[in-house]
Amino acid sequence: MKKFMATAYLDPWVFGGDLGPVYAVVNDGMRRSFQEMAGDPSRQKELLSFAARFAPGVTLVLPDVRVKGTITYALGEQPGTLKIATNHVYVYPLRRHSFQALFTVHRDLEFTFHRAGTVRTGEEGIYYSGGKGSLYWDFDCEAMKKGLLAPGEPPGFTAPEPGEPEYSERFDPTTPIAGRDIC
């Protein structure tokens, strides 16, 4: 699980748009699902839950991304399964043109792990079960619809809208996810 999370959200090849490293660490079923999302323009936004890909022209200002979060495991309902819950905040120092911003991604995801022999060959391993997430800071909605991360144009500082966490709370994985789509 940790390898998937690190690859999906911290791999420079994935930042550049290459989903190959993500495909390499998931089972056949999850890979097919990701490939279907990537190939269908109406579903590309769904990829934001599984990979941090940057829009063209977006780069990291610094080489390191800050991460804080947890991975917890519990026995699954069926023999040979585990329930996996991940809750992470990723802070990307991004640059687009001359604008720089701390772009914050909060993901609270659930997976089920199937041990070999409990499912068909190629289907063992992790499967996405559900979850939610939020993007904080001003972001480019057109890039987001394509499953890409990009800061929007700098609006100047504005107070959080009702229901959104305060700026300092956006870096804390224990802050509840508002779960609304503003695009």
Side-chain angles (χ1 to χ4, degrees), residues 129-177:
S129 304
K132 55 187 172 179
S134 286
L135 305 176
Y136 298 118
W137 201 256
D138 184 44
F139 51 90
D140 181 328
C141 287
E142 290 307 309
M144 187 175 137
K145 290 174 187 174
K146 297 174 185 171
L148 304 171
L149 299 176
E153 294 302 315
F157 180 79
T158 58
E161 293 185 24
E164 286 188 352
E166 292 295 324
Y167 183 75
S168 61
E169 296 173 323
R170 295 175 182 189
F171 303 101
D172 184 353
T174 63
T175 300
I177 294 174

Side-chain angles (χ1 to χ4, degrees), residues 117-138:
T118 62
V119 290
R120 292 188 318 250
T121 300
E123 303 297 314
E124 58 275 306
I126 59 170
Y127 272 94
Y128 176 68
S129 304
K132 55 187 172 179
S134 286
L135 305 176
Y136 298 118
W137 201 256
D138 184 44

Side-chain angles (χ1 to χ4, degrees), residues 64-145:
D64 56 341
V65 174
R66 301 297 175 157
V67 181
K68 183 176 182 181
T70 60
I71 300 175
T72 57
Y73 302 88
L75 290 176
E77 296 168 7
Q78 299 174 348
T81 63
L82 285 174
K83 294 289 185 183
I84 306 166
T86 67
N87 184 353
H88 288 82
V89 172
Y90 302 85
V91 181
Y92 300 95
L94 298 181
R95 173 183 293 128
R96 185 179 202 184
H97 310 297
S98 62
F99 177 58
Q100 297 179 21
L102 291 177
F103 198 90
T104 307
V105 176
H106 185 176
R107 293 285 178 246
D108 190 355
L109 305 175
E110 298 171 1
F111 297 86
T112 302
F113 174 82
H114 297 274
R115 186 180 56 189
T118 62
V119 290
R120 292 188 318 250
T121 300
E123 303 297 314
E124 58 275 306
I126 59 170
Y127 272 94
Y128 176 68
S129 304
K132 55 187 172 179
S134 286
L135 305 176
Y136 298 118
W137 201 256
D138 184 44
F139 51 90
D140 181 328
C141 287
E142 290 307 309
M144 187 175 137
K145 290 174 187 174

